[in-house]
């Protein structure tokens, strides 16, 4: 297939593009290479992709309406995976306009491109952040998610609503994926594992929020990518069971689906740090802080729908995932 992957120089987009190329798909990778984090890391990911047959890179911002229209018009994509987004809960508190430009305006441009050019299936990144104030664990795609607590989360909830509208109006198959705390080699420098590793190796204190009383459904990158590919290959279809009198948020009478992709094995943050310390052979100096605005104490993914529909459930133990990340970090930064 010819697949458009937006955010191809990003963490998940890079790994997904590698997998698609490895199985013989053609990939057009789009990225604006913004400076939200180290641009050199993005360029280094991109350099690996550009060495492979079947990969074409386009530097473009999703919010560039004319540029997006031209890209879709000339490219004959068959499927699209939209991973480009302004990420980060905390950054959304200080730069809200970045989230509107990329996550809302940019996503409309993706939807319009798919609508007008006969895309077989659009798969887009949502986030576990949409669960917001939900307290029922594990988080299920069948739960209501109307109480986000950050603009980032609200923008991802908006993406789900916008996608459903296009699925309904234009019979356009769309699937949203709620990712749970993705980590692994080539990861994002603003994520906890990256920050902790860098600080420990530099013998600086690490900041631990909510005084360490946190747990996360940490999900290894290879598991995320496998989930995306399984879903991409399974084109969304209307649900015969859906009812307007008892509406299920995870599906629709339109070709629209939502899935969680998480490990289904939440880990206490202090245990996560302990495993990292063991792998690095160093003890972290710890700076315990209150909960940050927009953050939640726990995440835990119900992945029953993903497993039932695609036959896949993530399987990488956190011990192995941290080991692989540390090995990559040392080879990339210390060699």
């Amino acid at each position: 297939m010819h697949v458009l992957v937006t955010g191809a120089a990003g963490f998940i987009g890079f790994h997904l593009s590698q997998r698609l190329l490895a199985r013989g798909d053609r990939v057009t990778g789009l990225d604006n290479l913004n400076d939200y984090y180290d641009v050199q890391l993005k360029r280094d990911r991109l350099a690996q992709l550009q060495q492979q047959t079947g990969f074409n890179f386009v530097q473009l911002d999703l919010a560039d309406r004319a540029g997006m229209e031209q890209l879709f018009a000339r490219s004959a994509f068959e499927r699209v995976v939209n991973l480009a987004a302004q990420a980060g809960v905390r950054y959304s508190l200080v730069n809200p306009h970045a989230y509107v430009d990329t996550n809302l305006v940019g996503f409309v441009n993706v939807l319009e491109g798919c609508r007008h050019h006969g895309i077989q299936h659009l798969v887009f990144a949502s986030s576990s952040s949409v669960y917001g104030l939900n307290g029922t664990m594990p988080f299920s795609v069948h739960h209501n998610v109307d109480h986000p607590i950050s603009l980032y989360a609200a923008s991802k909830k908006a993406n789900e609503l916008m996608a459903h509208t296009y699925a309904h109006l234009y019979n356009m198959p769309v699937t949203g994926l709620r990712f749970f705390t993705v980590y692994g080699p080539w990861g994002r420098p603003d994520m906890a594992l990256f920050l902790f590793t860098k600080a420990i190796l530099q013998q600086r204190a690490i900041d631990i929020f909510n005084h360490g009383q946190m747990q996360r459904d940490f999900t290894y990158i290879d598991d995320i990518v496998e989930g995306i590919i399984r879903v991409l290959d399974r084109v969304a279809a209307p649900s015969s069971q859906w009812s307007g009198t008892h509406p299920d948020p995870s599906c629709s009478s339109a070709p629209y689906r939502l899935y969680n992709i998480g490990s289904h094995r939440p880990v206490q943050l202090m245990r996560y740090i302990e495993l990292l310390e063991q792998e690095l052979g160093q003890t972290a100096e710890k700076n315990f802080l209150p909960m940050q605005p927009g953050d939640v104490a726990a995440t835990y993914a119900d992945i029953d729908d993903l497993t039932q529909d695609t036959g896949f459930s993530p399987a990488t133990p956190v011990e192995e995932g941290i080991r692989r990340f540390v090995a990559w970090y040392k080879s990339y930064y210390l060699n």
Side-chain angles (χ1 to χ4, degrees):
M1 297 184 295
H2 187 189
V3 183
L4 171 64
V5 176
T6 73
F11 175 32
I12 301 174
F14 162 67
H15 283 278
L16 174 64
S17 296
Q18 283 191 316
R19 281 288 304 279
L20 290 170
L21 292 166
R23 75 175 193 173
D25 291 329
R26 290 171 56 213
V27 174
T28 293
L30 177 150
D31 208 291
N32 67 358
L33 298 177
N34 69 31
D35 62 358
Y36 171 63
Y37 63 79
D38 180 17
V39 176
Q40 189 57 50
L41 178 60
K42 297 180 182 182
R43 292 191 185 282
D44 289 344
R45 294 182 187 128
L46 195 55
Q48 294 212 4
L49 294 174
Q50 289 175 315
Q51 294 172 8
Q52 300 183 51
T53 302
F55 182 79
N56 176 54
F57 176 63
V58 176
Q59 186 167 346
L60 182 66
D61 195 302
L62 287 190
D64 180 345
R65 179 175 170 182
M68 291 294 290
E69 288 174 350
Q70 292 166 14
L71 176 66
F72 272 92
R74 68 173 185 259
S75 301
F77 302 125
E78 293 165 83
R79 301 191 184 182
V80 175
V81 183
N82 184 54
L83 300 172
Q86 179 57 60
V89 168
R90 292 163 194 165
Y91 189 59
S92 70
L93 304 180
V94 297
N95 193 355
H97 293 286
Y99 293 77
V100 173
D101 293 343
T102 301
N103 299 6
L104 300 181
V105 175
F107 192 56
V108 167
N109 291 337
V110 171
L111 290 168
E112 280 290 282
C114 292
R115 168 197 172 193
H116 289 293
H117 296 280
I119 301 304
Q120 298 169 5
H121 193 193
L122 166 63
V123 175
F124 70 95
S126 186
S127 167
S128 62
S129 297
V130 300
Y131 288 102
L133 292 176
N134 284 26
T136 303
M137 297 284 178
F139 292 152
S140 169
V141 289
H142 304 288
H143 293 164
N144 178 286
V145 290
D146 285 341
H147 298 89
I149 58 172
S150 70
L151 186 65
Y152 170 67
S155 74
K156 288 300 188 179
K157 167 67 172 175
N159 286 170
E160 296 178 359
L161 298 173
M162 294 157 71
H164 179 266
T165 302
Y166 272 71
H168 171 75
L169 289 174
Y170 308 114
N171 197 38
M172 191 174 93
V174 186
T175 302
L177 300 176
R178 293 173 178 170
F179 299 140
F180 281 69
T181 315
V182 190
Y183 75 102
W186 296 97
R188 271 179 29 215
D190 62 324
M191 298 292 283
L193 183 58
F194 212 110
L195 293 169
F196 290 164
T197 300
K198 183 177 181 179
I200 292 169
L201 288 172
Q202 294 178 351
Q203 298 184 325
R204 293 185 290 107
I206 62 174
D207 290 338
I208 301 175
F209 295 101
N210 202 33
H211 304 285
Q213 300 303 305
M214 307 272 276
Q215 69 173 20
R216 287 289 182 271
D217 203 328
F218 295 104
T219 315
Y220 189 64
I221 183 61
D222 289 2
D223 291 328
I224 289 286
V225 168
E226 181 64 28
I228 295 171
I229 286 178
R230 297 277 187 111
V231 169
L232 181 65
D233 290 346
R234 187 181 190 276
V235 177
S239 170
S240 60
Q241 307 300 315
W242 194 86
S243 165
T245 56
H246 297 91
D248 181 344
S250 74
C251 58
S252 175
S253 56
Y256 171 85
R257 288 303 307 263
L258 285 174
Y259 295 102
N260 288 333
I261 303 187
S263 68
H264 193 59
R265 289 184 296 274
V267 177
Q268 293 292 333
L269 179 59
M270 297 308 296
R271 173 59 178 161
Y272 195 66
I273 293 169
E274 180 183 308
L275 291 170
L276 179 58
E277 290 174 323
Q278 291 173 7
E279 199 59 42
L280 291 171
Q282 294 179 231
T283 301
E285 180 184 345
K286 301 172 181 69
N287 183 25
F288 291 96
L289 298 168
M291 179 76 88
Q292 289 230 119
D295 213 346
V296 297
T299 63
Y300 178 9
D302 179 335
I303 58 170
D304 286 351
D305 286 56
L306 178 70
T307 302
Q308 178 179 313
D309 290 352
T310 71
F312 175 68
S313 56
T316 307
V318 68
E319 295 84 354
E320 180 62 25
I322 289 176
R323 185 177 305 117
R324 293 178 191 174
F325 172 80
V326 169
W328 167 80
Y329 187 97
K330 288 180 174 179
S331 69
Y332 182 78
Y333 286 103
L334 304 184
N335 286 347

